Amino acid sequence: MEKESPAFYAGLSAYDVITMVNENKIIAMSDYINALSLLETGQEVTVKALRKGAEGYAEIEFTVEIGELE
């Protein structure tokens, strides 16, 4: 994950497993790419992910603003 990226500022970590982008369920990388292709720069989206902790994985939720590609 790039520092100073929208995901970084939203709180996502490098090893989080993204499971949903808005209402789009993410099972494979192609699902993630398709979900991102529907978004526009500046749009706020809800991202759900799993984060590994001491007692296993916990579901976490973030709000991320879509940035521009550089």
Side-chain angles (χ1 to χ4, degrees):
M1 172 164 324
E2 292 185 38
K3 291 188 184 226
E4 299 185 25
S5 68
F8 174 83
Y9 286 123
L12 282 158
S13 295
Y15 296 104
D16 290 345
V17 179
I18 296 173
T19 59
M20 190 164 288
V21 175
N22 275 345
E23 299 299 319
N24 300 299
K25 190 171 185 176
I26 308 300
I27 296 173
M29 186 63 155
S30 59
D31 299 326
Y32 180 69
I33 292 168
N34 289 336
L36 292 183
S37 72
L38 302 172
L39 305 174
E40 297 181 19
T41 301
Q43 182 178 353
E44 283 195 353
V45 298
T46 300
V47 175
K48 291 184 181 179
L50 297 174
R51 178 172 288 168
K52 188 173 183 180
E55 297 184 22
Y57 284 91
E59 185 174 73
I60 51 179
E61 185 172 308
F62 302 92
T63 300
V64 180
E65 182 177 327
I66 302 303
E68 291 185 27
L69 292 176
E70 293 182 10

